[in-house]
Amino acid sequence: KSGLGPYPDRPGTKVSPFHIPPRVGGGIGPVMPPQNLGDADLKNAVTEGLKRAAPGFTRVVGLWSPPAPQMPEGMQMRRPPAPPQTFQGLRESLAGVYDVREVALTDRVPEDIDLLVLGGPADLDAKAVENVDQFVMRGGSLVVLAGRHRFAGMQQNKIIVEKVKTGLEDAFKKWGITL
């Protein structure tokens, strides 16, 4: 089933009435009209949209982001603290084009993941680093969104930052990456 209908450019953005959202096997792959409406460009846009909707053609992105900090025993709070960073906006943007799945680094990265995105890794343990390394060694693509410092909050109108070690430093050296 397909038809001309409104489709948001990205989640939370304006709706464009010029997108064609074809349904193929339960998936929806928006067809974005090309800049040039020539035969070849239009054919390519429709083909790519159908590929995005069809099972097996959509690229699968694994997204790992830091879990919420664990509460120390005996500490009573109304709600648990939020993770240091969230990547909800990134997840929503990627979901418009890719099949985005949450990935836990406690186990081997699933075989069907094409690209692994690590959002704000900090102090990854040896098992997590090994699972990332094995994913890269078997040909997977990796994007690491990391820095040496991270926002830790505000105190008396001053920004507080904390130093961050990803845990991937030795793996980066092994792969020939220097930061």
Side-chain angles (χ1 to χ4, degrees):
K1 179 181 176 182
S2 64
L4 185 62
Y7 189 84
D9 289 340
R10 286 170 291 172
T13 63
K14 68 178 183 153
V15 174
S16 172
F18 300 109
H19 294 171
I20 304 167
R23 296 180 193 276
V24 178
I28 297 177
V31 175
M32 313 299 184
Q35 293 289 337
N36 301 318
L37 291 177
D39 289 345
D41 292 329
L42 190 56
K43 179 180 179 181
N44 186 48
V46 170
T47 301
E48 291 303 313
L50 291 172
K51 283 181 181 179
R52 281 192 297 274
F57 278 99
T58 304
R59 292 287 198 176
V60 180
V61 174
L63 180 60
W64 178 91
S65 56
Q70 298 295 320
M71 294 294 299
E73 285 191 36
M75 294 281 294
Q76 297 292 328
M77 292 188 72
R78 292 188 182 144
R79 67 178 187 178
Q85 298 169 302
T86 62
F87 293 87
Q88 188 62 34
L90 175 62
R91 181 179 293 105
E92 290 172 0
S93 293
L94 289 172
V97 181
Y98 302 101
D99 180 5
V100 180
R101 299 184 188 162
E102 295 293 321
V103 172
L105 296 178
T106 53
D107 298 313
R108 180 181 169 107
V109 177
E111 296 289 332
D112 62 343
I113 301 293
D114 298 306
L115 169 68
L116 178 60
V117 178
L118 302 180
D123 299 319
L124 294 178
D125 63 22
K127 182 67 174 171
V129 173
E130 178 185 348
N131 288 328
V132 171
D133 182 56
Q134 290 302 305
F135 173 76
V136 171
M137 292 298 117
R138 67 176 197 251
S141 299
L142 176 67
V143 173
V144 179
L145 306 174
R148 300 264 185 222
H149 296 87
R150 163 172 71 199
F151 177 74
M154 298 285 292
Q155 188 175 38
Q156 299 174 349
N157 292 329
K158 292 184 181 179
I159 295 174
I160 300 171
V161 295
E162 60 186 3
K163 285 191 171 203
V164 176
K165 288 189 69 144
T166 65
L168 293 166
E169 288 79 12
D170 289 338
F172 287 154
K173 284 180 189 173
K174 175 180 165 183
W175 301 330
I177 299 171
T178 55
L179 301 177

